[in-house]
Amino acid sequence: MPATRTDSLRGLIDAENGTISRELYTREDIFRQEQERIFRRCWLFLGHETLVPNPGDFVLTRMGTEEVLLVRDRKDKQIRAFLNSCRHRGEKVCRYDEGNALVFTCPFHAWTYDSKGTLVGAAGQKHPDSYAGALNKDEWSLVEVAQFKNYYGTLWATWDKDAPSFEDYLGPFAEAVRYMCEGSDGEDNGLEVFKPWQRWRLPTNWKVPAFTSSRDPEHAALTHRSVNAAAIGPMRTLAGGERQKKRNLLPNTTYVVGDHNLGHGGAWTDYHVPGVADYVDGWYEEGVDDYFREMHQKKQQKYKDRIAPASGHDAGHICVFPNFIMDAWRWRIWHPHELGVVERWSLFGVDKNAPKVVKDAVRHYVMRYNGPTGCTESDDMENWNYVYPASLGAEAQKWNYNFANGLGRGKTREDMHPGLVFNDHRTEEAHRARFSRWVAMMEAETWDELYPALADANHRIW
């Protein structure tokens, strides 16, 4: 029988050789502990404010294995997030993915909640043979998240009232997240997102995609070989058949970084000069380049005396611990459902004020790139489908996964967050950083042990 004590987790990681036991992905007790120690405590991405633009609008989202009701109140217009579970017997109070509602009524016993989550009615509340007016509705509101943050249009929450502020939680990646919420003209919170969510369900452990997608250039040579060889990328011939959009970057140095204290990481670009490089054409649909060229010129003016953050100018994606991956054009969340089942939810942003032809072009692009019949993302799913079942056997469990690419080559910098390690731009530094934070979260009993961010590094494994 495998040990279940939390201190046994370190024995499943070979820090010297950079390998990870498959048990971290296949043990039920570890999965249950992750829901308590990680998904109940961390700041988690819920969505974007444009999913619920009008009073009474709602959308269902998730925090770990739990379903969450995101709703904009009819009176004060504020967005709030609640556990989608009636306080009476636990039935879902909302069973629609999205919509607009005056109230949310549980179909079991008619407990009814308004858009602030307050209990406003229940079957039998005044009946002399039932509650007889004794039900104190103020005490039975929906369970609301402990902390909620609207960060330049992106919505985040945690169940833990003792968690640090969202900005502190992001640490050196706060400006990168802010940048990825800008419109193409450089204005803060300049995006809206396409509805509905794009969703995939995969038979694998959530860490397979959520951890190994934190900057993994080596997978592209074979995984995406068919796209590159056939030259049928989403931008078609205008980008030479490549699977990505055309880019034009200023002089820079690129890294893979991992914050071993906070768990975030991914692509990092140090730009050597201020400004924004000139726009390059790349859109197939007529008129779309004209729009983006005009917006790009506005962005150049805004950034003429500023150096872009590390994520600037479509430089690559970053990962926010534990399960969120963010690019300037797509946001991906990995929701665990059970030990061997994860759902990938994606949102795609477009300028709020863009004309219809531009919004249609962007929507078609993301469908061609990321959709179930698209050019690229389905390749990744094919791999992830088989990792988990191929790791379940008694023999397979004896052989560790390899996360040693670039091990020992990373360097810290005095001008940066103390846990941030810079490595070559094709390494797995960001993967290892996620496991450093994973161990810390799984071992620590309280946030006092986790923040400020482990200056003594007593939870670190690398």
Side-chain angles (χ1 to χ4, degrees):
M1 288 287 293
T4 58
R5 290 168 40 209
T6 57
D7 59 5
S8 71
L9 296 177
R10 286 178 177 263
L12 299 175
I13 299 176
D14 183 348
E16 182 178 355
N17 295 302
T19 69
I20 306 289
S21 171
R22 302 185 188 205
E23 289 186 45
L24 268 65
Y25 294 76
T26 61
R27 274 175 40 182
E28 183 69 37
D29 63 308
I30 290 178
F31 179 81
R32 291 196 302 269
Q33 187 175 322
E34 288 172 338
Q35 305 314 305
E36 178 67 29
R37 294 291 179 93
I38 294 176
F39 286 92
R40 281 200 70 253
R41 296 201 292 200
C42 289
W43 280 93
L44 303 174
F45 178 78
L46 298 184
H48 192 264
E49 64 180 12
T50 57
L51 290 170
V52 287
N54 305 305
D57 283 353
F58 67 86
V59 65
L60 292 186
T61 182
R62 297 185 70 86
M63 296 175 70
T65 58
E66 300 185 281
E67 199 167 76
V68 171
L69 177 61
L70 195 64
V71 59
R72 189 182 289 271
D73 183 47
R74 287 188 162 274
K75 294 182 178 179
D76 66 16
K77 313 299 190 297
Q78 296 300 305
I79 302 173
R80 295 180 175 85
F82 308 97
L83 184 67
N84 187 22
S85 181
C86 181
R87 292 290 303 281
H88 183 225
R89 289 292 187 273
E91 163 73 295
K92 291 183 180 183
V93 298
C94 180
R95 291 189 286 182
Y96 298 93
D97 287 344
E98 60 180 301
N100 186 283
L102 290 170
V103 292
F104 300 94
T105 300
C106 174
F108 202 166
H109 297 90
W111 281 39
T112 299
Y113 304 86
D114 65 15
S115 52
K116 275 193 173 69
T118 304
L119 181 65
V120 294
Q125 61 181 317
K126 296 181 179 180
H127 197 286
D129 296 330
S130 186
Y131 293 103
L135 177 63
N136 187 342
K137 295 193 289 292
D138 292 337
E139 296 180 354
W140 292 96
S141 298
L142 290 176
V143 177
E144 189 170 3
V145 296
Q147 298 187 62
F148 181 86
K149 180 69 176 182
N150 186 330
Y151 191 72
Y152 299 99
T154 58
L155 307 177
W156 306 75
T158 173
W159 297 113
D160 195 333
K161 63 179 179 57
D162 296 323
S165 72
F166 178 67
E167 290 87 342
D168 287 342
Y169 182 86
L170 286 182
F173 294 88
E175 277 303 302
V177 173
R178 175 179 178 174
Y179 177 89
M180 292 180 185
C181 297
E182 290 181 351
S184 61
D185 59 356
E187 288 303 306
D188 280 333
N189 193 10
L191 302 177
E192 65 182 28
V193 296
F194 295 116
K195 295 193 292 186
W197 301 87
Q198 186 184 99
R199 296 190 285 191
W200 307 66
R201 177 171 285 209
L202 302 172
T204 196
N205 183 277
W206 69 275
K207 292 190 294 297
V208 172
F211 280 25
T212 58
S213 291
S214 49
R215 189 61 181 158
D216 185 20
E218 299 298 356
H219 84 289
L222 186 58
T223 296
H224 301 305
R225 183 179 181 183
S226 59
V227 177
N228 295 330
I232 54 170
M235 300 305 292
R236 310 183 194 183
T237 57
L238 293 182
E242 292 287 335
R243 61 189 179 89
Q244 297 173 332
K245 292 183 286 187
K246 296 179 73 174
R247 297 175 182 174
N248 187 16
L249 301 182
L250 295 170
N252 66 80
T253 304
T254 60
Y255 305 91
V256 165
V257 300
D259 193 323
H260 289 260
N261 284 348
L262 298 178
H264 318 314
W268 186 283
T269 301
D270 278 341
Y271 290 99
H272 303 322
V273 295
V276 179
D278 290 339
Y279 181 79
V280 290
D281 297 341
W283 288 92
Y284 182 81
E285 292 85 349
E286 184 177 354
V288 176
D289 275 319
D290 294 336
Y291 171 81
F292 280 121
R293 190 180 299 107
E294 179 183 351
M295 296 301 105
H296 193 82
Q297 290 170 353
K298 293 181 179 180
K299 189 171 188 175
Q300 286 182 307
Q301 184 65 26
K302 178 180 177 180
Y303 276 90
K304 66 179 182 179
D305 299 318
R306 295 170 51 188
I307 293 180
S311 60
H313 319 319
D314 292 335
H317 60 249
I318 62 167
C319 303
V320 177
F321 187 87
N323 66 330
F324 182 62
I325 300 174
M326 191 174 197
D327 296 85
W329 63 281
R330 60 176 175 171
W331 306 335
R332 296 173 285 173
I333 318 98
W334 299 97
H335 294 301
H337 277 247
E338 53 189 79
L339 178 61
V341 178
V342 63
E343 283 191 1
R344 206 290 300 282
W345 291 24
S346 293
L347 286 176
F348 304 95
V350 66
D351 290 355
K352 293 177 183 177
N353 300 319
K356 183 177 184 299
V357 64
V358 172
K359 292 182 179 181
D360 286 345
V362 174
R363 178 167 52 85
H364 295 158
Y365 167 73
V366 300
M367 290 172 64
R368 291 195 299 269
Y369 194 102
N370 276 79
T373 59
C375 299
T376 303
E377 200 78 355
S378 52
D379 295 339
D380 296 311
M381 304 298 170
E382 186 74 7
N383 288 328
W384 295 328
N385 277 344
Y386 295 103
V387 170
Y388 179 74
S391 298
L392 290 173
E395 181 64 25
Q397 292 278 297
K398 297 178 182 179
W399 303 96
N400 283 4
Y401 295 142
N402 186 307
F403 285 88
N405 184 344
L407 183 65
R409 299 208 307 264
K411 301 182 184 300
T412 58
R413 293 186 353 195
E414 292 184 1
D415 62 325
M416 297 303 300
H417 188 269
L420 197 61
V421 176
F422 289 74
N423 212 323
D424 299 328
H425 76 284
R426 299 182 70 92
T427 63
E428 294 170 340
E429 191 66 52
H431 304 188
R432 293 188 290 272
R434 290 170 92 70
F435 279 106
S436 285
R437 190 57 166 176
W438 182 88
V439 167
M441 297 294 298
M442 295 287 274
E443 289 181 338
E445 296 292 337
T446 69
W447 273 102
D448 290 338
E449 301 173 60
L450 293 164
Y451 197 87
L454 303 173
D456 59 356
N458 60 342
H459 288 286
R460 287 269 298 273
I461 56 175
W462 281 291

